[in-house]
Amino acid sequence: MRWIAAAGLLIAMFISGCSTPPVTSSRGRLDIRLVDSLSTPETRYLFQNLTNLQGKAILVGHQDPTAYGVGWKGVPDQSDWKLVTRSHPAVYGWDFAGIASGRDTASAGQLKTLVRQAWNAGGVNIFCWHNGNPVTGGSFYDTTLAVKAILKGGSHHDQYRQQLDRIAAWVLQLKTEGGTPIPVIFRPYHEMDGNWFWWGARFCTPEEFKQLWHETVTYLRDIREVHQFLYAFSPDCRFNSEEDYLERYPGDDLTDLIGMDNYWDFGPDGAGLEGVRKKLRILSRIAEERGKLAALTETGLEGIPDSTWFTQTLYPQITSESVAISFVMFWRNADKKHHYVPYPGHRASADFIRLMQKPDILNGSEVPRLYQPPGH
């Protein structure tokens, strides 16, 4: 079975395990340190195991996979992914929006169950945060200036801390039945180089954005003592050099994962596949140099009109020379128009299955033990 081969590959390339800093990588990086020096053992194991897989095998994932799909919602142990491939994905994407707002307590409980189920399946949980505008109460697309107002000393700083308190309280209860804290990759303020969210490049300076990141991370880590987070920095694809990419980068001491969201370059108006490869190589190189994970944190083709898009368009880019990423995540399946992975009967289902059959692509049923010490 392929999962046995994947586990064998992982064990073969692991060196001795580590549960205290620094994390040692089989890729030759001898001084990799996490943002949180008090990270739980499982969080550290997740980082090291993904690091050692990076450049050798790629996990694949989906946003909200087991919460809903095309034509269904809230069906136990179901996902469009599983209906097509007979396995859930390896990476499960979620959102802190409802939790931080405090308006959706019923869904918060359901989400906790789904995250635990993903953990039990050996999957990776990653959270973005489509935070509504904290100044106006509008949506995340409301670009009224807000970043400066929520920084320390700003008019809405206390309200912002209350949002972080809600996230922390929820996460601190996110444990297994045996009481083990479940690790989470947290990627706040994604696509910050764009101009569609209130935290975007047009609505705050690089210095203000970095300060927001610093205050967010240090409050969760040091004040609320959340120690099960890995922190992911994931701009959109609006960069053409390392300098561009790092313009709003908050620093090595506050970042565990280097990511990119990229839909645009796969479309007719983007930089094309050459641009996709170039940008993946840039973030791979930055991650390697700085001892970070790398990932394509969001991508996909809405509606998937190309029946061979997964194997003929996406796969050659994510496995091209000098690209080393740990996972790829597709966006959500809302309905027959807005979806990014096939559902039963979809024109791209056969090609999606072919992608899952690639030896260097790991579906949910093929993921090695990511939360145990290397070599176990």
Side-chain angles (χ1 to χ4, degrees):
M1 296 176 66
R2 283 184 57 217
W3 72 268
I4 295 176
L9 170 65
L10 188 59
I11 292 171
M13 62 190 173
F14 279 149
I15 54 178
S16 60
C18 123
S19 58
T20 57
V23 177
T24 304
S25 163
S26 67
R27 298 167 64 201
R29 301 197 301 247
L30 300 179
D31 192 26
I32 303 172
R33 297 182 181 273
L34 301 187
V35 169
D36 189 350
S37 64
L38 300 178
S39 293
T40 66
E42 290 75 18
T43 304
R44 301 192 63 80
Y45 299 150
L46 174 62
F47 181 89
Q48 186 175 12
N49 290 338
L50 289 178
T51 297
N52 284 292
L53 275 176
Q54 195 157 275
K56 300 175 178 67
I58 301 172
L59 279 64
V60 282
H62 192 202
Q63 182 72 19
D64 299 330
T66 52
Y68 55 83
V70 177
W72 64 273
K73 182 178 181 180
V75 179
D77 194 36
Q78 182 161 300
S79 65
D80 285 345
W81 195 296
K82 185 177 181 180
L83 290 171
V84 172
T85 72
R86 300 184 180 180
S87 168
H88 290 310
V91 180
Y92 297 69
W94 312 107
D95 200 318
F96 276 132
I99 293 166
S101 69
R103 302 190 193 105
D104 201 356
T105 54
S107 294
Q110 179 188 25
L111 179 56
K112 195 172 292 180
T113 297
L114 295 177
V115 171
R116 285 176 177 145
Q117 290 172 349
W119 156 273
N120 289 336
V124 178
N125 289 290
I126 179 169
F127 275 75
C128 62
W129 185 12
H130 285 91
N131 192 10
N133 190 300
V135 170
T136 66
S139 80
F140 44 87
Y141 287 130
D142 178 352
T143 55
T144 302
L145 296 183
V147 170
K148 192 171 184 178
I150 63 176
L151 296 176
K152 188 175 182 180
S155 60
H156 287 68
H157 180 65
D158 289 344
Q159 293 93 320
Y160 181 63
R161 283 203 167 188
Q162 290 172 9
Q163 291 182 312
L164 296 179
D165 285 337
R166 294 188 192 104
I167 290 175
W170 188 88
V171 172
L172 289 171
Q173 296 176 18
L174 187 61
K175 298 179 180 180
T176 67
E177 293 181 358
T180 300
I182 296 175
V184 165
I185 298 175
F186 182 28
R187 58 182 196 104
Y189 303 117
H190 64 296
E191 300 175 11
M192 76 294 295
D193 53 338
N195 296 311
W196 41 90
F197 299 141
W198 56 262
W199 57 84
R202 190 181 296 166
F203 313 112
C204 62
T205 66
E207 291 71 26
E208 288 170 341
F209 180 83
K210 292 175 186 178
Q211 184 179 348
L212 174 61
W213 188 285
H214 178 273
E215 291 184 8
T216 300
V217 171
T218 55
Y219 186 74
L220 290 170
R221 182 191 64 190
D222 303 337
I223 305 301
R224 292 309 311 268
E225 298 183 337
V226 175
H227 299 306
Q228 62 210 81
F229 274 167
L230 296 174
Y231 293 91
F233 175 77
S234 61
D236 198 60
C237 59
R238 297 189 170 200
F239 62 92
N240 288 293
S241 66
E242 290 190 29
E243 182 179 11
D244 290 344
Y245 185 92
L246 295 171
E247 181 183 24
R248 291 171 184 263
Y249 181 63
D252 292 344
D253 59 331
L254 295 172
T255 310
D256 295 307
L257 185 148
I258 300 291
M260 171 180 66
D261 293 3
N262 197 343
Y263 305 90
W264 184 252
D265 290 334
F266 288 102
D269 300 319
L273 300 184
E274 182 178 349
V276 173
R277 292 191 298 274
K278 175 183 177 181
K279 294 169 188 179
L280 285 171
R281 287 166 182 160
I282 288 172
L283 72 90
S284 297
R285 185 164 59 249
I286 294 173
E288 175 68 25
E289 292 171 351
R290 295 169 181 263
K292 309 300 178 183
L293 293 171
L296 184 52
T297 41
E298 282 186 37
T299 194
L301 184 66
E302 186 178 29
I304 328 171
D306 180 353
S307 63
T308 62
W309 186 81
F310 291 101
T311 61
Q312 301 304 306
T313 299
L314 176 72
Y315 179 74
Q317 318 319 316
I318 62 177
T319 57
S320 61
E321 184 179 359
S322 299
V323 171
I325 57 177
S326 57
F327 66 84
V328 172
M329 194 176 74
F330 305 109
W331 197 237
R332 68 195 189 113
N333 276 21
D335 51 49
K336 288 190 175 182
K337 180 179 178 181
H338 185 71
H339 61 271
Y340 291 84
V341 304
Y343 51 87
H346 195 284
R347 66 175 72 85
S349 292
D351 190 59
F352 194 59
I353 292 171
R354 285 192 291 270
L355 177 69
M356 297 304 118
Q357 292 172 341
K358 300 286 187 184
D360 49 358
I361 298 295
L362 300 184
N363 207 355
S365 61
E366 302 159 337
V367 176
R369 295 175 179 178
L370 298 174
Y371 302 101
Q372 295 190 13
H376 287 65

